[in-house]
Amino acid sequence: MTGGVVNLRQFRKQKARDEKEKQAEQNRLTFGRTKAEKNLTSALNDKAARELDQGKLDKGDGDE
């Protein structure tokens, strides 16, 4: 009928360890980039923005 005896203290500690590991994994993905990778991403974003701006049409005053 019952699955077995569970020590709640150990269960809570294991749950806390799992949560801490999940947070650590998320932090590694978010902050774990090298300076070179950050610079590359920034340069690519700037280049994409410049290329997008080059294709824009200038709107005049409409007096023409």
Side-chain angles (χ1 to χ4, degrees), residues 20-55:
K20 195 172 184 179
E21 179 58 33
K22 189 189 313 182
Q23 182 64 41
E25 178 65 27
Q26 183 63 39
N27 287 343
R28 282 192 289 271
L29 292 173
T30 304
F31 302 109
R33 298 189 312 156
T34 64
K35 189 172 184 178
E37 289 172 334
K38 291 176 188 176
N39 289 340
L40 176 64
T41 302
S42 176
L44 290 174
N45 288 340
D46 291 342
K47 182 181 179 202
R50 280 193 313 273
E51 289 176 357
L52 183 64
D53 288 342
Q54 288 174 354

Side-chain angles (χ1 to χ4, degrees), residues 3-18:
V5 178
V6 176
N7 187 329
L8 293 179
R9 179 182 49 84
Q10 290 177 347
F11 179 77
R12 284 189 206 110
K13 284 186 176 186
Q14 185 61 45
K15 184 177 177 183
R17 283 187 210 107
D18 293 343

